[in-house]
Amino acid sequence: MTSMANHTIPTGWTLISLRPQGQHAGLRLAAARLGGATVALSPWRLQRLRGAAVEQRLNRALSCARVVFTSPAAVAAAAALQHLPAAQRGPWLTVGEGTARALHAQGITDVHAPQRMDSEGLLGLPVLADVRGTDIGLVTAPGGRGLIAAQLEAAGARIIRADVYQRVPLVIPRRKLARLARSGTPWLLAVSSGEALQRFWQQLPPGGQQRLCEQAIVLAASERLAEQARALGFASVVRSEGPAVTQMTAAAHAALTAPAAT
């Protein structure tokens, strides 16, 4: 990432991070290396779910022929309830490399992750090519990637869902919104979750929404997220190859060196 920093990048710009509370460090460091500051505006925090019912649903999901983990948080929460290597029965799948790394760190070796790190990329994996009549476990949180379950069910799979953590909504403090208003431009808004973007957007006053659309360049981790941002009124959108810090950093570099890219 440091190799990207050069004299062509303006100083004084601001990265807006919508990651969950306490998960901004990677983006903050990457922004600093490119000469930018970070304003962290978490619309939620992550909370693990516990109890006999949660463990029962997780055990059912992990016993399926295919299991999909939707985030590193899902892996961490599942690992707190179950010894994952002992539970694996077949291929386990992830949306992106961060979740795959989390599974590898737990001792899981049979992991499939798409090059295109989004729901559509996951659904294109060969191991999901013919799922009619197949039980597929989904280890996740309430809300979020409904596209995965819907399309797998449409293809004939039976989804065994295990919600192992939840997103607890947060009210973004006014002082943080005021800090953003005083922050240097251009603003780069990192978007890796459509739900996070929507929750953040709903907490902005109309004037704040208008200024954000005028001042911000959206770094969208998928085409679906890019379309969502444009629908809200953002004119400047740069596609990131995915949600990972390295990918968002590359997108930030592209946006800062060619600010008219959309």
Side-chain angles (χ1 to χ4, degrees):
M1 290 185 287
T2 55
S3 64
M4 293 182 184
N6 57 55
H7 65 279
T8 66
I9 299 177
T11 58
W13 62 277
T14 302
L15 176 74
I16 305 170
S17 174
L18 304 182
R19 300 260 167 130
Q21 188 178 67
Q23 297 188 17
H24 304 282
L27 285 178
R28 192 187 304 277
L29 178 59
R33 287 174 171 169
L34 292 180
T38 298
V39 176
L41 301 175
S42 299
W44 54 43
R45 63 180 175 86
L46 304 184
Q47 181 182 66
R48 293 179 185 175
L49 299 176
R50 303 183 184 278
V54 176
E55 291 187 42
Q56 184 179 21
R57 288 193 295 269
L58 176 61
N59 289 335
R60 286 189 62 209
L62 295 181
S63 68
C64 292
R66 305 283 187 273
V67 182
V68 176
F69 289 80
T70 59
S71 68
V75 175
L81 297 169
Q82 174 67 268
H83 180 57
L84 296 183
Q88 187 169 26
R89 301 290 182 270
W92 285 2
L93 301 87
T94 74
V95 174
E97 65 179 22
T99 310
R101 285 197 303 270
L103 282 172
H104 287 310
Q106 294 293 332
I108 303 301
T109 56
D110 190 3
V111 179
H112 298 247
Q115 288 189 336
R116 173 179 170 175
M117 285 187 263
D118 56 18
S119 300
E120 293 83 353
L122 171 73
L123 293 166
L125 287 172
V127 292
L128 294 179
D130 183 6
V131 296
R132 185 169 301 278
T134 302
D135 287 344
I136 297 179
L138 183 64
V139 184
T140 187
R145 302 178 185 274
L147 177 66
I148 294 175
Q151 292 208 2
L152 288 174
E153 286 178 332
R158 292 184 295 269
I159 300 301
I160 309 300
R161 184 184 182 106
D163 291 327
V164 293
Y165 73 102
Q166 63 183 348
R167 302 174 184 90
V168 180
L170 297 175
V171 175
I172 298 173
R174 290 183 178 272
R175 59 181 173 78
K176 288 200 171 186
L177 294 177
R179 180 188 168 196
L180 173 62
R182 298 190 301 268
S183 296
T185 56
W187 294 341
L188 269 60
L189 176 61
V191 178
S192 56
S193 163
E195 190 174 352
L197 174 59
Q198 192 64 36
R199 287 184 180 275
F200 164 62
W201 181 259
Q202 290 169 349
Q203 295 193 52
L204 295 175
Q209 292 176 349
Q210 181 177 352
R211 187 181 176 200
L212 194 70
C213 286
E214 293 172 350
Q215 300 280 358
I217 303 169
V218 174
L219 310 179
S222 72
E223 185 55 39
R224 174 177 54 82
L225 294 172
E227 291 173 0
Q228 180 179 349
R230 293 187 185 103
L232 290 175
F234 289 94
S236 297
V237 179
V238 172
R239 269 294 314 276
S240 170
E241 290 300 315
V245 170
T246 52
Q247 294 166 321
M248 284 292 186
T249 303
H253 185 274
L256 291 166
T257 54
T262 59

